[in-house]
Every structure is written in C-alpha cells, then in structure tokens.
Amino acid sequence: MKQQVVVIVGPTAVGKTALSVEIAKAFQGEIISGDSMQIYKGMDIGTAKVTEEERQGIPHYLIDFKQPDESFSVAEFQNLVEHSILEISQKGKLPIIAGGTGLYIQAALYGYEFSETKRNDTYQKKIEKEIELQGTNAVYERLKKVDPIQAEKVHPNNTRRLVRALEVYDRTGQTMTENHEKQLEESKYEPILIGLEMERSRLYERINLRVDQMIEQGLMKEVEYFYTKGLTDSQSMKAIGYKEFIPYFEGEQSEEKSIELLKRNSRRYAKRQMTWFKNKMNVDWYSILPETKETVFQNILSDLAGKIR
C-alpha cells in the first residue's frame, strides 16, 4: 500500500501555510515545506517564511538548513523530501507538503531521475566561457532551438539553469523536456492534491498588501544585510523579494520603484504558479476568499476525512 501524502498547492499569499497547519492538527500530520527559498537561513521576511507562532507546535521540515551562499537543486530537494516523508511516516504521522514551487513538488512526487546526467564541471566552464565570449542571448538562442519548451521556463539571465539544460542535451542527445516526459507519471506515493485559488483581483490585492507588510517588517534591512555580505550573484539573491532591491542598493533605482517591481513580480509569479498547477497536476481546487476561509477550510477537512486512511 502506497504512503499517502497530502500536498497543498496554489499561488503565493493564498493561504497554504494556514491550511497546512489546520490539516496537520486534524489528521496527526507533520509539514514539509515545498518552497525552494525557505531553505535559506536568515531569509525570513522576503520568503514569507512560516513563523514559530504560525507553526502552532507542528514540526516543519526543509526550512532553514542552507546558508544563503549555497546552491540548491531540484534533485537535492527530491532526495530530502523522500527522506522527510519516510521519517514522518515512520512516526505514524501524515506527511503534508505545502508550498508553491511547482517543478520541485512535481519532481518529489513523480520521481524524476536527475542522477543519470550528473553535473560536469568541465562542461559548465565551457558553456560559461561561451556566455562570456558570445553573450547570454546567443547561448540562450541555442537552447531555444534545441529545446524551446525548456527555454520558456528558463530566464536568459539564469545561467545555472541555462547551462544545465544545454548540458543535458549535449551529453545525452535528449532535451530536458524529453527527459521529463519519459519519466513515470505514476507516483510511488498516493498524493492527495489540494489547491487553493482566489479570484485574481482579490489575490493581487493580497499580494500587494503582503509586500507592504514585508516592508514594514524590515525587508529592506534583510536584503541589505545579504547585499553587504557580497551575495549579489548567489542563487538565493536571484529570488523574488531580494533581486528587486539590488539596483536600489547600487544607487540605480529608487526604493519606491523597487517595491513596485516586487509587487509586479510577485503577481506575475502567482499567475505562473496557477498555470503550472492547472496544466501539470491533477488537483482538487477550492476557491477561497479571506471572508470565506473558515468555511472553505472546514469543507477541505471534511473532504479529506473521507480519503485519509
């Protein structure tokens, strides 16, 4: 019998954290963060990291275990989730994954094999040299020719993912997209996928409000701390919530403009999250508004009671 895993997905600021805690309390669960940024120590405000108070005593996994100058990959996440699910289930508890990083969650549930093509430092240096000589756009155009689907998912300036996608193609003869499509759609778990969605204008209001609250909580000081540590080029600082303020600290952009960019990027990210989950995963969706939260949560708990063994 497969291990049941409850998975809560949806756009940023919709209420996933609160729901995951309610489910954990109702069904003797423990929570695994499915967010690729809450892994970093000290990056609390910009990642909307779950606070001790919000956790309500429920154990949380995969939070605060990496330094901000360290990199992190989907394959590493996949491995850590597997270990966390095992640890939680061995305690007789229900594993609950809560988060919004679509590729990470899909990889953890459906067992993409990343290990077959391990990273090759020599190859990486070769591509980085190409980028240096020809420019990022020329190398990105090559990816668009060989794997247009993957190119859509990779920002031209994200050299780490750009290099990886080309490395997989050059070394295996298969694109990363083909590699993913070959993977088993069958999960080794029994995932119960719950999605929270909100009417777009209301969600965007919540996102804007959340950014204002982050600023009040001291987001600028948090970003400045990592900026002064010289982490501008690290993977962690390329995330939404941090990258928008680097031009401000370099004297190239006003604080107001940086805040507006953060709001805009957060709204766009929410839209991309919804597109990903609607297209890639078989989710039971629940529409929620701040004023209907309690009723919707009760409906979800009631529906889950009929599914969880």
Side-chain angles (χ1 to χ4, degrees), residues 71-76 104 114-125 128 158-168 171 176 235:
S71 62
F72 189 58
S73 69
V74 186
E76 197 176 344
Y104 280 64
F114 292 96
S115 57
E116 286 173 21
T117 314
K118 290 194 169 137
R119 289 186 184 275
N120 182 305
D121 287 344
T122 310
Y123 183 85
Q124 191 166 340
K125 287 188 177 73
E128 283 168 357
N158 191 336
T159 52
R160 196 178 61 86
R161 287 185 64 194
L162 180 56
V163 167
R164 180 60 177 158
L166 285 169
E167 179 186 4
V168 168
R171 292 177 62 207
M176 200 172 253
Q235 184 180 338

Side-chain angles (χ1 to χ4, degrees), residues 137-182:
N137 283 341
V139 178
Y140 182 69
E141 284 301 319
R142 181 153 81 85
L143 178 63
K144 275 170 75 174
K145 279 181 190 154
V146 300
D147 190 355
I149 295 171
Q150 187 62 24
E152 281 282 309
K153 300 175 192 171
V154 178
H155 191 278
N157 293 336
N158 191 336
T159 52
R160 196 178 61 86
R161 287 185 64 194
L162 180 56
V163 167
R164 180 60 177 158
L166 285 169
E167 179 186 4
V168 168
Y169 176 72
D170 286 352
R171 292 177 62 207
T172 67
Q174 278 195 326
T175 64
M176 200 172 253
T177 302
E178 287 169 335
N179 205 291
H180 286 179
E181 284 171 356
K182 264 189 6 185

Side-chain angles (χ1 to χ4, degrees), residues 4-21:
Q4 288 186 312
V5 180
V6 173
V7 186
I8 302 157
V9 301
T12 188
V14 79
K16 298 184 295 292
T17 297
L19 177 59
S20 67
V21 170

